[in-house]
Amino acid sequence: MASKMKMCDPCSRLNKSSEGLKYCTDCEDTLCTDCAALHSAVKLLASHHLVDVSVTTGNEFHIKRDCSDHEDMCFEFYCSDHDCLICRTCMANTHRTCGKIQPIDVAAKGCKTSSMLEGVCKDIASLLQSTKTLLEDRQKKKTSVGQSKANVLKEIAKFRHDINVHLDQLENKCRSEVDILERTISKTVGKELADADKRQHVIQNIWQQVGFFTKNGSESQLFIFLNTAKSDISRQAASLQDIIPSLETNDIGFEPLDLISVMKSFGSVKKSSIPCSVKYQHPKHMQAQTRTIPQKVPTKFEFEKKVNISEGRITCIAVTIDNKLLFCNDQTKQISLMDQTGQHLKSCTVTDGNIWGISIIPGTDEAVVTLPNKRLIQFFNITSFTLGRQIHVNIYPYGVAVVKDNVIVGSTSGEVAFIERVSGKCLKTLKVGRGQIVSIVPGVNDKDELLYCCENTGENMIICLKVNGTRIFSHSLRESVGVALDLKGNLYVTGYRSNDLHRISSDAKVDDILLKGFDGLDQPLAVAFNKTFEKLYISNGCTGNVVKDVVIAGSVSGEVAFIEIVSRKCLKTLNVGHGIIGSIVSGGVDKDELLYCCEYTGGTMVICVKMDGTSIFSHSLRGPMCLALDSKRNSYVTGYHSNDLHRLSSDAKVDDILLKGSDRLDKPYAVVFNSTFEKLYISNGGLVHKGVLIFNCK
């Protein structure tokens, strides 16, 4: 069959019909004889490459010449420093300091005999071989699915048969129980029937004799019989009165189990998965122009620049394959894209709720974001920056990672859930701690896939485990938030309260602090490397140590809970004692926010702690009920049982009693100053002086 004739593209644009004989690989046009001659005659086009049109039969050849970062600009140069093609705008904006930039024609000289071509050809050959093997493997799997279906259907039929046999056995057992019960009841009723018949016969006999003597006997005979029969009648009446209440009317009934509503499912059909048997090792390019990723472990970080965020905070950072940065801002609800220099490219607002974690789905142009307050996982396209579908989960998701076809999310209660990416079904959950899993990073060792989890509350652990739940190690670290991995499997973890960056060795035996507060870290959250591990990005939270928009409540068991006002979510709990925390007052000192707590039972202490739980002091006091602070941070504490008011110095080393029962204190409860500290108010709970006492402060 003759191949379809190709038409000349320039002639077609002029509404002419000419057979195309040549193909220009630069213009990507088919040319007729006249157009080919003109093509060679024009000086600007003379350097273009013309090939016979038969070479292109059945194939399409296209070269991407447009810059993906700058619209209407084409690639003209090659940057040796970054091993990439760039346009004039790229060269002016992001490659100004690069040492070697060449026109593409200059950089391409000798390309057909270069090691680059050889390496790429080897890579393609390896890929072709692997895809061929993959096709064969998938074809076998497709065939085996049909056999698996037949086997499963046989198993279902056998299960149904076993159920029928079992139900028959249960039915026969019930029938046997009916027979036994019927015989037992019949035997009992038979005895009662015989006794009743005998009793009736005796009474009937007495009745007949009464009738006989009344009709045929003398009055003396009747009188004698009646007097002798009265005792028999009384005995029968008493016996009948006793036996009737003890008699039962028995019946046989059947109460079926509600198996139909209990059996919600005949069984579950599950998909089992094992790794693909096809092995593929990504080829390593050896050409001189390709930059190699450094294998050494970074020992020092040199500050480059700070990128200011106008509002909110960055809770998670993900790095794309082309080294662009995806930021999650949990307060503005925005996902932002920036280049390596911090230049903002575009943003997308997630209107359904606050966002926290982000993870790119490998091999796709999709990423997934967690919305903790709404219990949602949100997909979005990182190329078009448009929101996609959502998956509802039964936890409050924070940290997120993607491994194969599973989205793995961390909860507020120490659980890690595996969600199937396509169906949204929760495959399993692993209990890795008891606090908030705020970040998850996947990794691999020699043969296993691993998960590294940051537990921000609870036990405050960095946890490494296999995806099957086997724990590799756990390392205690105070309020860790973000984690990143280098090529050697070392972990880089941000300490939110300690304002530092830790490097934990792959076996968790070494913990070095690489960066601290004086390096610019201020409540650090997210941390990430770029793809070449030459840059490290760390996002800072808000400045200062004041806890905002939080209600702090004391419990009956010595705990203090931090409740976020907006979400009503418990952020963390601190164990400050073991009794009733009757009152809490906050106060600042230097740079720290402090909590002053009255433990009414248990240890009966006045306790001062930092917001992170660090103890400042504890002072024993009998039944402390409530406290107030003056401008010097002295504590004024009511003693409920001792009927007095104590003043504790700011370091709790001095304890003065200012008021007693003689001053009308009668089981004092609350105590508070006015805003000018000129008046003190104390409420009494006793019967004698019940009410509110007002004192002038001098």
Side-chain angles (χ1 to χ4, degrees):
M1 181 177 177
S3 61
K4 184 178 179 180
M5 182 178 68
K6 291 194 174 185
M7 306 305 294
C8 175
D9 291 320
C11 291
S12 297
R13 288 193 283 270
L14 296 174
N15 296 321
K16 296 180 181 179
S17 298
S18 302
E19 182 181 0
L21 301 175
K22 296 289 183 179
Y23 180 79
C24 177
T25 58
D26 294 279
C27 298
E28 298 181 359
D29 272 348
T30 302
L31 306 173
C32 64
T33 303
D34 294 339
C35 289
L38 182 62
H39 214 72
S40 301
V42 177
K43 187 175 182 179
L44 186 63
L45 307 177
S47 61
H48 286 198
H49 294 78
L50 302 181
V51 297
D52 195 87
V53 73
S54 60
V55 176
T56 65
T57 303
N59 299 294
E60 290 187 7
F61 300 94
H62 298 289
I63 298 177
K64 184 177 180 290
R65 301 177 183 275
D66 297 327
C67 178
S68 56
D69 294 331
H70 303 102
E71 192 175 355
D72 298 329
M73 298 297 291
C74 62
F75 293 129
E76 296 183 61
F77 302 96
Y78 173 78
C79 176
S80 298
D81 289 348
H82 292 88
D83 186 26
C84 64
L85 299 173
I86 60 176
C87 68
R88 291 184 180 274
T89 305
C90 291
M91 184 171 63
N93 291 347
T94 57
H95 293 265
R96 286 179 295 178
T97 60
C98 295
K100 191 174 182 180
I101 296 179
Q102 298 175 309
I104 290 177
D105 291 342
V106 176
K109 286 183 179 179
C111 184
K112 290 189 176 182
T113 58
S114 68
S115 58
M116 176 191 287
L117 176 61
E118 181 183 354
V120 170
C121 290
K122 287 181 179 179
D123 294 349
I124 295 173
S126 175
L127 285 169
L128 286 173
Q129 180 60 41
S130 296
T131 52
K132 179 183 177 183
T133 307
L134 184 63
L135 283 171
E136 294 173 353
D137 178 79
R138 294 298 92 187
Q139 186 60 49
K140 289 179 182 178
K141 295 301 179 186
K142 183 178 180 181
T143 304
S144 67
V145 168
Q147 184 61 44
S148 298
K149 175 184 176 182
N151 294 336
V152 169
L153 291 177
K154 288 181 181 179
E155 291 178 11
I156 293 173
K158 182 180 182 301
F159 181 60
R160 173 61 184 269
H161 176 265
D162 293 342
I163 291 176
N164 290 341
V165 171
H166 185 63
L167 289 175
D168 290 342
Q169 293 173 349
L170 294 178
E171 181 184 0
N172 292 333
K173 182 181 178 182
C174 284
R175 289 179 178 275
S176 176
E177 291 175 354
V178 170
D179 291 340
I180 294 171
L181 194 58
E182 184 271 336
R183 287 196 296 270
T184 301
I185 294 174
S186 296
K187 184 177 179 181
T188 301
V189 173
K191 290 181 180 180
E192 294 170 349
L193 179 63
D195 181 70
D197 182 67
K198 181 179 178 181
R199 193 180 303 278
Q200 186 185 42
H201 181 73
V202 171
I203 295 171
Q204 185 70 36
N205 183 50
I206 294 173
W207 172 253
Q208 288 176 353
Q209 291 191 54
V210 168
F212 176 79
F213 285 115
T214 300
K215 186 177 182 179
N216 302 311
S218 65
E219 289 185 346
S220 298
Q221 289 175 322
L222 178 61
F223 181 76
I224 294 172
F225 180 77
L226 289 176
N227 279 277
T228 57
K230 282 194 295 182
S231 60
D232 293 335
I233 294 170
S234 297
R235 188 168 53 253
Q236 289 294 335
S239 176
L240 193 64
Q241 189 175 18
D242 290 339
I243 197 171
I244 287 177
S246 65
L247 296 178
E248 295 179 345
T249 301
N250 295 312
D251 202 354
I252 302 174
F254 176 63
E255 295 181 1
L257 289 177
D258 193 6
L259 293 177
I260 295 176
S261 63
V262 172
M263 292 181 64
K264 299 296 183 182
S265 172
F266 194 63
S268 60
V269 179
K270 296 183 178 179
K271 180 184 75 172
S272 60
S273 300
I274 58 173
C276 178
S277 59
V278 178
K279 303 295 182 184
Y280 175 69
Q281 181 68 35
H282 193 286
K284 297 179 179 179
H285 300 290
M286 302 303 294
Q287 64 271 18
Q289 291 180 335
T290 303
R291 302 187 71 192
T292 58
I293 296 175
Q295 297 292 316
K296 67 178 182 179
V297 175
T299 57
K300 182 179 179 182
F301 295 98
E302 180 181 339
F303 178 76
E304 180 179 325
K305 67 183 298 185
K306 177 183 178 182
V307 179
N308 291 317
I309 305 297
S310 59
E311 59 179 324
R313 61 179 186 174
I314 305 303
T315 55
C316 193
I317 302 173
V319 182
T320 65
I321 195 67
D322 56 350
N323 276 324
K324 290 185 175 67
L325 307 177
L326 288 169
F327 291 156
C328 266
N329 192 318
D330 71 328
Q331 294 176 5
T332 64
K333 305 178 184 179
Q334 283 190 331
I335 307 166
S336 300
L337 182 70
M338 294 188 181
D339 62 18
Q340 289 196 85
T341 65
Q343 182 181 352
H344 180 269
L345 301 176
K346 48 188 168 181
S347 294
C348 172
T349 301
V350 182
T351 57
D352 288 334
N354 296 88
I355 58 179
W356 180 269
I358 183 172
S359 182
I360 297 173
I361 302 172
T364 72
D365 58 356
E366 270 194 315
V368 62
V369 173
T370 56
L371 284 73
N373 296 346
K374 298 296 183 178
R375 296 189 178 189
L376 291 175
I377 298 173
Q378 173 74 62
F379 292 83
F380 80 100
N381 189 294
I382 60 179
T383 302
S384 62
F385 250 61
T386 54
L387 299 177
R389 63 192 181 95
Q390 295 177 334
I391 295 176
H392 185 273
V393 293
N394 292 325
I395 61 173
Y396 298 98
Y398 274 83
V400 61
V402 179
V403 176
K404 295 184 178 177
D405 290 330
N406 296 329
V407 177
I408 305 170
V409 291
S411 75
T412 56
S413 55
E415 291 182 329
V416 172
F418 288 66
I419 312 297
E420 194 172 43
R421 180 160 58 94
V422 177
S423 67
K425 179 181 178 183
C426 181
L427 302 178
K428 64 177 179 180
T429 58
L430 300 177
K431 186 76 174 177
V432 301
R434 57 186 180 88
Q436 192 176 39
I437 307 300
V438 292
S439 60
I440 304 173
V441 173
V444 293
N445 60 11
D446 295 335
K447 59 180 179 179
D448 295 308
E449 291 181 334
L450 306 177
L451 295 177
Y452 299 88
C453 307
C454 272
E455 182 190 28
N456 180 250
T457 57
E459 296 178 351
N460 285 285
M461 290 285 184
I462 302 296
I463 304 150
C464 175
L465 69 157
K466 298 180 182 179
V467 293
N468 63 5
T470 304
R471 183 167 294 211
I472 305 299
F473 69 76
S474 57
H475 181 77
S476 179
L477 198 63
R478 179 181 161 206
E479 289 201 47
S480 57
V481 177
V483 62
L485 290 175
D486 64 19
L487 289 171
K488 299 295 184 181
N490 298 305
L491 288 78
Y492 296 76
V493 186
T494 55
Y496 182 71
R497 292 292 179 194
S498 53
N499 292 327
D500 50 24
L501 177 73
H502 294 249
R503 180 175 60 207
I504 301 171
S505 60
S506 58
D507 57 4
K509 293 181 179 179
V510 180
D511 182 349
D512 296 322
I513 297 179
L514 302 182
L515 297 172
K516 297 183 179 181
F518 55 74
D519 295 304
L521 270 64
D522 186 9
Q523 294 188 357
L525 291 163
V527 57
F529 283 101
N530 70 348
K531 293 301 181 182
T532 58
F533 294 89
E534 293 174 320
K535 290 184 183 294
L536 181 72
Y537 306 93
I538 298 176
S539 68
N540 277 334
C542 58
T543 58
N545 295 319
V546 179
V547 177
K548 298 178 180 178
D549 301 324
V550 171
V551 173
I552 305 172
S555 75
V556 296
S557 55
E559 291 181 325
V560 173
F562 290 67
I563 313 297
E564 192 174 42
I565 294 175
V566 177
S567 66
R568 301 180 183 178
K569 183 181 65 177
C570 181
L571 302 178
K572 66 177 180 179
T573 58
L574 301 177
N575 199 307
V576 300
H578 57 274
I580 297 174
I581 307 299
S583 65
I584 303 172
V585 174
S586 64
V589 54
D590 296 331
K591 62 177 182 178
D592 292 311
E593 188 83 359
L594 304 180
L595 294 179
Y596 297 83
C597 308
C598 279
E599 184 188 25
Y600 175 67
T601 60
T604 64
M605 293 279 187
V606 176
I607 304 155
C608 178
V609 294
K610 293 182 181 180
M611 291 293 185
D612 61 5
T614 303
S615 176
I616 303 300
F617 69 75
S618 58
H619 182 79
S620 180
L621 205 64
R622 182 179 170 214
M625 180 60 70
C626 189
L627 65 82
L629 294 177
D630 64 17
S631 58
K632 301 293 185 181
R633 295 190 303 279
N634 298 306
S635 305
Y636 295 75
V637 188
T638 54
Y640 181 75
H641 297 297
S642 54
N643 291 326
D644 49 23
L645 177 72
H646 293 250
R647 179 176 61 197
L648 304 181
S649 60
S650 59
D651 56 4
K653 292 182 179 179
V654 180
D655 182 351
D656 296 323
I657 298 178
L658 303 182
L659 298 171
K660 298 182 180 180
S662 57
D663 298 302
R664 294 186 177 82
L665 266 64
D666 185 10
K667 294 186 178 180
Y669 269 86
V671 57
V672 66
F673 285 100
N674 69 350
S675 59
T676 59
F677 294 96
E678 295 175 334
K679 290 187 182 293
L680 180 72
Y681 305 88
I682 298 176
S683 67
N684 275 335
L687 297 176
V688 178
H689 298 294
K690 190 173 184 179
V692 178
L693 306 178
I694 304 174
F695 296 90
N696 292 317
C697 302
K698 297 181 180 179

